[in-house]
Amino acid sequence: MTEFTIEERAERSWVGVSVTGELVHWDRVNAHVPQIYAALAAAGGVPEGGPIYQYHRMQTVSDPMDITVSVPVGARIEIGEDFETGVIPAGRYLVARPEGGPDALGQVHREMWRWAGVQGLDLAIEERADGIHWRARTEQFLTDPQAEPDRSKWAVEVAYLLR
């Protein structure tokens, strides 16, 4: 089982692209990552870590979901009209850093939901007819895939904002 922690976090600035995507076409979502890094470099910006996938709305894993593919930055920076800027809100977060890379994420999310329920933690979500809307649910990839091609060795951090 994955270890979970509660962390108080400051807001984090990011640049990125919001999309509606499906897991079966995740390559289309991932295609934005190098574009964001290239635009950031061209604008003279410096990334502060690996890409962050911010989940905003999800119904089931087989339905399209609203996400923002982003890169953390030290402060807001405009990198072009095709890109957005924003912040991941400050607050208390339920956090996991599972082993097993992206292939372990489905199980980790299920465990986090169960663990949060047992601990009496209130996730910052709103359930609507079109799915669950998150105030902040993120997956940040901490390993550079060019340095480590084995997906099972990639470090990933999962974080849910709490109320």
Side-chain angles (χ1 to χ4, degrees):
M1 184 168 155
T2 304
E3 183 177 319
F4 306 113
T5 60
I6 306 295
E7 298 178 8
E8 189 71 35
R9 295 183 166 197
E11 73 178 20
R12 295 180 69 192
S13 296
W14 56 265
V15 295
V17 177
S18 293
V19 298
T20 298
E22 301 170 306
L23 286 178
V24 296
H25 300 294
W26 203 250
D27 57 323
R28 296 176 190 168
V29 174
N30 281 334
H32 294 285
V33 173
Q35 296 167 356
I36 298 165
Y37 278 102
L40 181 60
V46 177
E48 292 201 346
I52 301 173
Y53 296 80
Q54 301 174 55
Y55 295 82
H56 303 293
R57 182 193 59 85
M58 180 185 297
Q59 200 153 27
T60 70
V61 294
S62 59
D63 291 317
M65 59 188 86
D66 297 333
I67 63 173
T68 300
V69 180
S70 62
V71 172
V73 291
R76 284 192 168 186
I77 179 174
E78 296 295 326
I79 63 171
E81 64 182 47
D82 295 332
F83 302 93
E84 304 167 47
T85 64
V87 295
I88 298 170
R92 288 182 48 228
Y93 282 80
L94 172 59
V95 178
R97 294 177 186 89
E99 294 181 6
D103 298 325
L105 291 176
Q107 179 65 30
V108 168
H109 285 289
R110 286 186 293 278
E111 289 176 7
M112 287 180 85
W113 274 76
R114 280 193 295 269
W115 193 84
V118 168
Q119 300 300 316
L121 299 173
D122 191 14
L123 302 176
I125 63 172
E126 184 179 331
E127 295 190 48
R128 300 182 196 161
D130 66 342
I132 296 173
H133 290 253
W134 301 88
R135 278 205 48 232
R137 172 191 166 177
T138 63
E139 295 171 356
Q140 182 173 15
F141 286 77
L142 307 174
T143 303
D144 180 348
Q146 294 178 344
E148 176 54 71
D150 184 349
R151 290 168 49 100
S152 70
K153 295 181 181 176
W154 292 359
V156 181
E157 177 188 88
V158 179
Y160 293 149
L161 180 63
L162 301 171
R163 290 189 208 262

mmCIF file with all atom_site columns, all heavy atoms in Angstrom, residues 1 39 66 69-70 87 91 102 104 112 116:
data_model
loop_
_atom_site.group_PDB
_atom_site.id
_atom_site.type_symbol
_atom_site.label_atom_id
_atom_site.label_alt_id
_atom_site.label_comp_id
_atom_site.label_asym_id
_atom_site.label_entity_id
_atom_site.label_seq_id
_atom_site.pdbx_PDB_ins_code
_atom_site.Cartn_x
_atom_site.Cartn_y
_atom_site.Cartn_z
_atom_site.occupancy
_atom_site.B_iso_or_equiv
_atom_site.pdbx_formal_charge
_atom_site.auth_seq_id
_atom_site.auth_comp_id
_atom_site.auth_asym_id
_atom_site.auth_atom_id
_atom_site.pdbx_PDB_model_num
ATOM 1  N N   . MET A 1 1   ? 0.837   -1.188 0.000   1.00 0.00 ? 1   MET A N   1
ATOM 2  C CA  . MET A 1 1   ? 0.000   0.000  0.000   1.00 0.00 ? 1   MET A CA  1
ATOM 3  C C   . MET A 1 1   ? 0.877   1.245  0.000   1.00 0.00 ? 1   MET A C   1
ATOM 4  O O   . MET A 1 1   ? 1.934   1.284  0.597   1.00 0.00 ? 1   MET A O   1
ATOM 5  C CB  . MET A 1 1   ? -0.924  0.011  1.212   1.00 0.00 ? 1   MET A CB  1
ATOM 6  C CG  . MET A 1 1   ? -1.867  1.179  1.203   1.00 0.00 ? 1   MET A CG  1
ATOM 7  S SD  . MET A 1 1   ? -3.156  0.966  2.445   1.00 0.00 ? 1   MET A SD  1
ATOM 8  C CE  . MET A 1 1   ? -3.557  2.657  2.709   1.00 0.00 ? 1   MET A CE  1
ATOM 9  N N   . ALA A 1 39  ? 7.785   26.540 -25.637 1.00 0.00 ? 39  ALA A N   1
ATOM 10 C CA  . ALA A 1 39  ? 7.281   27.913 -25.575 1.00 0.00 ? 39  ALA A CA  1
ATOM 11 C C   . ALA A 1 39  ? 7.820   28.634 -24.341 1.00 0.00 ? 39  ALA A C   1
ATOM 12 O O   . ALA A 1 39  ? 8.144   29.825 -24.394 1.00 0.00 ? 39  ALA A O   1
ATOM 13 C CB  . ALA A 1 39  ? 5.760   27.922 -25.584 1.00 0.00 ? 39  ALA A CB  1
ATOM 14 N N   . ASP A 1 66  ? -11.815 16.873 -18.309 1.00 0.00 ? 66  ASP A N   1
ATOM 15 C CA  . ASP A 1 66  ? -11.238 18.200 -18.477 1.00 0.00 ? 66  ASP A CA  1
ATOM 16 C C   . ASP A 1 66  ? -9.983  18.285 -17.617 1.00 0.00 ? 66  ASP A C   1
ATOM 17 O O   . ASP A 1 66  ? -10.044 18.078 -16.394 1.00 0.00 ? 66  ASP A O   1
ATOM 18 C CB  . ASP A 1 66  ? -12.224 19.283 -18.047 1.00 0.00 ? 66  ASP A CB  1
ATOM 19 C CG  . ASP A 1 66  ? -13.476 19.296 -18.902 1.00 0.00 ? 66  ASP A CG  1
ATOM 20 O OD1 . ASP A 1 66  ? -13.408 18.882 -20.075 1.00 0.00 ? 66  ASP A OD1 1
ATOM 21 O OD2 . ASP A 1 66  ? -14.533 19.730 -18.398 1.00 0.00 ? 66  ASP A OD2 1
ATOM 22 N N   . VAL A 1 69  ? -2.782  20.502 -18.820 1.00 0.00 ? 69  VAL A N   1
ATOM 23 C CA  . VAL A 1 69  ? -1.410  19.999 -18.886 1.00 0.00 ? 69  VAL A CA  1
ATOM 24 C C   . VAL A 1 69  ? -0.541  21.228 -18.634 1.00 0.00 ? 69  VAL A C   1
ATOM 25 O O   . VAL A 1 69  ? -0.654  22.227 -19.352 1.00 0.00 ? 69  VAL A O   1
ATOM 26 C CB  . VAL A 1 69  ? -1.096  19.394 -20.271 1.00 0.00 ? 69  VAL A CB  1
ATOM 27 C CG1 . VAL A 1 69  ? 0.325   18.878 -20.317 1.00 0.00 ? 69  VAL A CG1 1
ATOM 28 C CG2 . VAL A 1 69  ? -2.102  18.309 -20.618 1.00 0.00 ? 69  VAL A CG2 1
ATOM 29 N N   . SER A 1 70  ? 0.288   21.174 -17.598 1.00 0.00 ? 70  SER A N   1
ATOM 30 C CA  . SER A 1 70  ? 1.008   22.382 -17.208 1.00 0.00 ? 70  SER A CA  1
ATOM 31 C C   . SER A 1 70  ? 2.436   22.083 -16.776 1.00 0.00 ? 70  SER A C   1
ATOM 32 O O   . SER A 1 70  ? 2.810   20.939 -16.541 1.00 0.00 ? 70  SER A O   1
ATOM 33 C CB  . SER A 1 70  ? 0.254   23.095 -16.087 1.00 0.00 ? 70  SER A CB  1
ATOM 34 O OG  . SER A 1 70  ? 0.153   22.281 -14.937 1.00 0.00 ? 70  SER A OG  1
ATOM 35 N N   . VAL A 1 87  ? -2.618  29.384 -11.195 1.00 0.00 ? 87  VAL A N   1
ATOM 36 C CA  . VAL A 1 87  ? -2.003  28.891 -9.969  1.00 0.00 ? 87  VAL A CA  1
ATOM 37 C C   . VAL A 1 87  ? -2.778  27.679 -9.475  1.00 0.00 ? 87  VAL A C   1
ATOM 38 O O   . VAL A 1 87  ? -3.995  27.599 -9.628  1.00 0.00 ? 87  VAL A O   1
ATOM 39 C CB  . VAL A 1 87  ? -1.932  29.955 -8.849  1.00 0.00 ? 87  VAL A CB  1
ATOM 40 C CG1 . VAL A 1 87  ? -1.012  31.101 -9.237  1.00 0.00 ? 87  VAL A CG1 1
ATOM 41 C CG2 . VAL A 1 87  ? -3.293  30.454 -8.450  1.00 0.00 ? 87  VAL A CG2 1
ATOM 42 N N   . GLY A 1 91  ? -3.176  25.450 0.226   1.00 0.00 ? 91  GLY A N   1
ATOM 43 C CA  . GLY A 1 91  ? -4.064  24.746 1.137   1.00 0.00 ? 91  GLY A CA  1
ATOM 44 C C   . GLY A 1 91  ? -3.470  23.446 1.633   1.00 0.00 ? 91  GLY A C   1
ATOM 45 O O   . GLY A 1 91  ? -2.295  23.143 1.403   1.00 0.00 ? 91  GLY A O   1
ATOM 46 N N   . PRO A 1 102 ? 3.362   5.716  -13.935 1.00 0.00 ? 102 PRO A N   1
ATOM 47 C CA  . PRO A 1 102 ? 1.990   6.016  -14.333 1.00 0.00 ? 102 PRO A CA  1
ATOM 48 C C   . PRO A 1 102 ? 1.071   4.800  -14.332 1.00 0.00 ? 102 PRO A C   1
ATOM 49 O O   . PRO A 1 102 ? -0.135  4.937  -14.163 1.00 0.00 ? 102 PRO A O   1
ATOM 50 C CB  . PRO A 1 102 ? 2.129   6.609  -15.738 1.00 0.00 ? 102 PRO A CB  1
ATOM 51 C CG  . PRO A 1 102 ? 3.490   6.269  -16.192 1.00 0.00 ? 102 PRO A CG  1
ATOM 52 C CD  . PRO A 1 102 ? 4.323   6.039  -14.983 1.00 0.00 ? 102 PRO A CD  1
ATOM 53 N N   . ALA A 1 104 ? 0.734   2.678  -12.071 1.00 0.00 ? 104 ALA A N   1
ATOM 54 C CA  . ALA A 1 104 ? 0.234   2.443  -10.715 1.00 0.00 ? 104 ALA A CA  1
ATOM 55 C C   . ALA A 1 104 ? -0.821  3.463  -10.294 1.00 0.00 ? 104 ALA A C   1
ATOM 56 O O   . ALA A 1 104 ? -1.439  3.315  -9.243  1.00 0.00 ? 104 ALA A O   1
ATOM 57 C CB  . ALA A 1 104 ? 1.399   2.485  -9.721  1.00 0.00 ? 104 ALA A CB  1
ATOM 58 N N   . MET A 1 112 ? -6.291  6.247  -2.286  1.00 0.00 ? 112 MET A N   1
ATOM 59 C CA  . MET A 1 112 ? -6.372  7.578  -1.676  1.00 0.00 ? 112 MET A CA  1
ATOM 60 C C   . MET A 1 112 ? -7.800  7.912  -1.293  1.00 0.00 ? 112 MET A C   1
ATOM 61 O O   . MET A 1 112 ? -8.045  8.449  -0.207  1.00 0.00 ? 112 MET A O   1
ATOM 62 C CB  . MET A 1 112 ? -5.807  8.645  -2.617  1.00 0.00 ? 112 MET A CB  1
ATOM 63 C CG  . MET A 1 112 ? -4.293  8.593  -2.733  1.00 0.00 ? 112 MET A CG  1
ATOM 64 S SD  . MET A 1 112 ? -3.611  9.854  -3.829  1.00 0.00 ? 112 MET A SD  1
ATOM 65 C CE  . MET A 1 112 ? -3.496  11.249 -2.703  1.00 0.00 ? 112 MET A CE  1
ATOM 66 N N   . ALA A 1 116 ? -8.822  8.521  2.498   1.00 0.00 ? 116 ALA A N   1
ATOM 67 C CA  . ALA A 1 116 ? -9.410  9.811  2.887   1.00 0.00 ? 116 ALA A CA  1
ATOM 68 C C   . ALA A 1 116 ? -10.734 9.588  3.624   1.00 0.00 ? 116 ALA A C   1
ATOM 69 O O   . ALA A 1 116 ? -11.002 10.235 4.639   1.00 0.00 ? 116 ALA A O   1
ATOM 70 C CB  . ALA A 1 116 ? -9.622  10.686 1.652   1.00 0.00 ? 116 ALA A CB  1
#
